[in-house]
Amino acid sequence: MSKAMEPDLQSPLGRTSGQAGKDWSHPSDHWLRGFVIDNRAALGTLGVFIFMMAVFIIANPTVFTTWYLYSSVLTTLPVALFVVVPLVFVVTCDEIDLSFPATMGFASWVFALVVQAGYDPFLGIAAALVTGTLLGFLVGSLVVYGGLSSLIATLGMNFLLRGLIQIINEGRSMALTGLADSSAYKIFSSQLWGIPVQVFWAIAFVVFSALLYNRHRFGAQVRAVGDNPDSAKQMGIDVKRVKVKVFVFTGIGAAIAGTFSVMINFTWWPTAGDGYLLPVLASVFVGGTPTWGGIGTVVGGAIGAVTVSFIQTGVVAAGLSGFYVQFFNGLIIILSLLGHKWNQARYR
């Protein structure tokens, strides 16, 4: 047998090297299969959402085929998205932040104070962002440099900040009816083609965060730190600085969320942000970001927020009592986590 006719034992099925190069490729090399593998957590969450909405539409097609229902959900959904997305970074870093509800309340309080004093709402937004940044840095410093458990430290900060708000305001709210005539309201919280403008800002925020997470060096550092801090340190990554940055990012997101909440309602409440703790955490985990760190999905978290937002509206619109809301919340969360656990065990 001539050398040219000898089979190449390194090629699949004993083909010659020339044939192997032309005829054979790994199944995962196909772009569609690669896309599914890379985004299976987000696609799994999307599947849960589609199934849930199909059930709701079958239960009450009249209600779920009207735009009013979706418009009401889209009005408040961006508030959750501004917190869910940064929290994906925190959980990927193998940490948790339970202080964001109070940060929302505190930053939006600063915004309300500036507007009530007669200053331009844009100045109030800037003040709220600075407040959120400082609070995020404070929380991150307590966890990273203080050596405290993020679960306990952020929970303590949540109670501390909320208590400070209540002590100073004594439970009083602030009505900001003049916001409706401001240019800031028209830019950030009006309607465009019948769609709440804040939806477009939230989508832009999700896209920016997804690029930051998947395409930027910072996102790679976050995943490396969450996967193995010691290895990340040996790679030259400043682990402490990265962790502080993700808490700062969460503080900024909470400040934006709190400001949008005030502009939507024209009122600041001392309890602002309190109702978002469990839905936001549920959105992160339903979206496919596991609790063990190193892995996460920004797009999945956004889809998870959409799913959780539609649960309460969907249950009531389907004709069920409001008592069923918590049941369906728990059911969707458990089913999603089981699905992600089975799906992610292959590459973890």
Side-chain angles (χ1 to χ4, degrees), residues 6 24 51 68 85 128 134 180 202 267-268 280 285-286 314:
E6 291 180 2
W24 186 88
F51 174 77
Y68 177 77
V85 169
L134 293 176
T267 305
W268 174 82
V280 165
F285 298 124
V286 166

Side-chain angles (χ1 to χ4, degrees), residues 282-294:
S283 300
V284 173
F285 298 124
V286 166
T289 300
T291 57
W292 53 71

Side-chain angles (χ1 to χ4, degrees), residues 34-98:
F35 175 81
V36 171
I37 291 175
D38 293 340
N39 300 276
R40 57 178 141 188
L43 292 173
T45 305
L46 180 61
V48 171
F49 172 71
I50 293 174
F51 174 77
M52 181 188 73
M53 292 303 296
V55 172
F56 287 151
I57 291 172
I58 293 172
N60 195 336
T62 303
V63 174
F64 280 92
T65 53
T66 58
W67 171 245
Y68 177 77
L69 172 71
Y70 298 96
S71 178
S72 63
V73 173
L74 292 177
T75 300
T76 56
L77 172 62
V79 177
L81 286 174
F82 284 119
V83 187
V84 169
V85 169
L87 206 59
V88 170
F89 286 75
V90 175
V91 176
T92 302
C93 259
D94 200 20
E95 302 288 353
I96 192 67
D97 188 351
L98 303 181

Side-chain angles (χ1 to χ4, degrees), residues 79-303:
V79 177
L81 286 174
F82 284 119
V83 187
V84 169
V85 169
L87 206 59
V88 170
F89 286 75
V90 175
V91 176
T92 302
C93 259
D94 200 20
E95 302 288 353
I96 192 67
D97 188 351
L98 303 181
S99 66
F100 68 84
T103 302
M104 285 179 62
F106 206 95
S108 60
W109 176 39
V110 172
F111 169 76
L113 287 173
V114 172
V115 174
Q116 192 179 57
Y119 294 101
D120 192 287
F122 285 107
L123 181 61
I125 294 173
L129 290 175
V130 171
T131 302
T133 301
L134 293 176
L135 290 176
F137 179 78
L138 175 61
V139 171
S141 298
L142 285 175
V143 173
V144 176
Y145 300 111
L148 302 179
S149 163
S150 59
L151 177 66
I152 304 302
T154 58
L155 184 62
M157 281 297 297
N158 187 53
F159 283 117
L160 188 151
L161 293 175
R162 186 66 63 186
L164 184 60
I165 293 172
Q166 296 286 4
I167 290 171
I168 297 176
N169 289 277
E170 297 181 345
R172 293 190 298 267
S173 61
M174 294 184 189
L176 304 171
T177 53
L179 272 176
D181 300 323
S182 66
S183 56
Y185 172 78
K186 295 176 182 177
I187 293 174
F188 295 113
S189 194
S190 58
Q191 288 201 350
L192 182 65
W193 306 310
I195 302 174
V197 171
Q198 54 265 33
V199 172
F200 299 106
W201 288 105
I203 292 174
F205 185 75
V206 171
V207 171
F208 165 77
S209 301
L211 293 174
L212 184 66
Y213 188 91
N214 296 307
R215 302 295 182 183
H216 195 270
R217 180 177 59 184
F218 177 65
Q221 291 175 345
V222 168
R223 296 193 298 274
V225 169
D227 184 63
N228 192 321
D230 295 330
S231 296
K233 188 178 298 184
Q234 293 176 0
M235 293 166 59
I237 298 174
D238 191 332
V239 174
K240 292 184 177 181
R241 180 178 295 181
V242 170
K243 288 192 174 185
V244 170
K245 283 182 179 179
V246 297
F247 282 104
V248 169
F249 188 32
T250 303
I252 294 173
I256 298 174
T259 303
F260 270 86
S261 177
V262 172
M263 287 195 289
I264 290 170
N265 299 306
F266 303 118
T267 305
W268 174 82
W269 302 93
T271 56
D274 264 356
Y276 285 93
L277 178 60
L278 294 181
V280 165
L281 291 175
S283 300
V284 173
F285 298 124
V286 166
T289 300
T291 57
W292 53 71
I295 302 173
T297 165
V298 170
V299 175
I303 299 173

